[in-house]
Amino acid sequence: MIPGETILEVRGLTKRFGGLIAVNDLSFDVREHEVMGVIGPNGSGKSTTINLISGALRATSGSVSLEGHDLTAVRPHETARLGISRTFQLVRILPALSVLENAVAGAVFGHKRRWGRKADVFATDLLERVGLADKVAVPVSALTYIDQKRLELARALAGEPEVLLLDEWLAGLNPSELQVGIDLISSLRAEGRTVILVEHVMDAIRSLCDRCVVMNSGKKIAEGTPAEVLSDPHVIEAYLGDA
């Protein structure tokens, strides 16, 4: 699907932790129906950026806006109501709840606020969508790692987000699981969803992303299509070093 108008704006975003500047004057736009990759070496500020966009962290300076709504000082649950859903670098499911209840939580506290039977039906459809149709009644503790990731994705999708944030969702998967994961994200792209994808798997970046922002030491060092940024000498140096 062809990307549309700008839906998310990041302007001058900065986050300091004492003397450490984790994100430094970062700016980029995300267009509707676009998959935007955020890539860079470990410690470059990618996950901090996701935490700032989702409201998990408060920016030191700069701004994030979604369809004209300023998210900079908004708390995480309010961000979810406005249309931002996310997964986490380390999977965070709700162990005291069932598989279905985990997905329902996304619907109840998400953008459209579904309740009761409507939330149950909607969540069940999403569990089927991500490949968990036969796991609805399974205890969360019995899920495999990839199924935990599927569940977290279903919960995020149940929030019916305007923008979906995937923070290294493919990390830790074996080769066969990795292909399943890439295919699943590809199907979300085909539906026209707007996604910010933080990822180290370059095959996924090449196949899934329309554009990429490359970070190093908290700063943006490149922006463009995957082919453009992955051939940029500054990006190559950031990943591989001067040699």
Side-chain angles (χ1 to χ4, degrees):
M1 189 171 294
I2 298 174
E5 297 182 356
T6 296
I7 188 171
L8 185 82
E9 296 181 356
V10 174
R11 292 289 181 272
L13 198 61
T14 298
K15 180 61 180 178
R16 293 185 175 89
F17 296 98
L20 172 67
I21 304 177
V23 176
N24 190 353
D25 195 26
L26 179 66
S27 297
F28 63 89
D29 292 338
V30 180
R31 298 191 288 265
E32 192 176 15
H33 312 310
E34 178 177 53
V35 178
M36 168 68 83
V38 179
I39 65 175
N42 288 330
S44 58
K46 305 181 300 297
S47 289
T48 302
T49 298
I50 294 298
N51 287 331
L52 292 168
I53 294 171
S54 68
L57 289 175
R58 187 69 59 87
T60 304
S61 60
S63 65
V64 179
S65 62
L66 174 70
E67 296 182 310
H69 297 284
D70 185 0
L71 304 182
T72 314
V74 173
R75 292 176 292 179
H77 71 278
E78 296 170 325
T79 302
R81 289 294 196 201
L82 288 169
I84 300 283
S85 289
R86 67 168 299 180
T87 65
F88 293 86
Q89 190 173 4
L90 299 176
V91 178
R92 296 186 186 180
I93 53 178
L94 305 169
L97 302 182
S98 69
V99 168
L100 178 60
E101 288 169 338
N102 264 266
V104 166
V108 169
F109 294 103
H111 188 38
K112 299 293 180 66
R113 309 186 188 205
R114 295 177 184 263
W115 297 90
R117 174 65 178 166
K118 289 183 179 180
D120 289 345
V121 171
F122 184 66
T124 300
D125 288 344
L126 282 171
L127 290 169
E128 180 177 1
R129 169 74 181 76
V130 301
L132 291 178
D134 60 340
K135 305 287 177 63
V136 174
V138 171
V140 167
S141 59
L143 293 178
T144 63
Y145 186 59
I146 189 172
D147 283 345
Q148 291 178 33
K149 284 181 170 278
R150 292 179 201 260
L151 176 55
E152 191 179 46
L153 178 58
R155 187 179 65 202
L157 292 173
E160 298 175 82
E162 299 293 329
V163 178
L164 175 64
L165 311 178
L166 300 181
D167 190 1
E168 296 192 35
W169 191 80
L170 298 170
L173 303 182
N174 65 40
S176 61
E177 292 171 339
L178 182 60
Q179 189 55 56
V180 171
I182 290 174
D183 290 344
L184 182 52
I185 298 173
S186 180
S187 69
L188 297 178
R189 172 183 173 149
E191 292 175 2
R193 295 184 183 272
T194 307
V195 180
I196 299 178
L197 178 67
V198 173
E199 196 49 68
H200 284 292
V201 180
M202 288 301 115
D203 285 346
I205 292 296
R206 290 187 183 94
S207 64
L208 296 172
C209 295
D210 298 291
R211 292 186 301 127
C212 294
V213 165
V214 187
M215 298 182 66
N216 190 33
S217 300
K219 295 183 178 180
K220 182 175 76 173
I221 61 171
E223 182 176 349
T225 67
E228 289 169 346
V229 300
L230 293 176
S231 62
D232 187 310
H234 295 96
V235 176
I236 296 170
E237 179 182 336
Y239 272 104
L240 301 179
D242 292 337

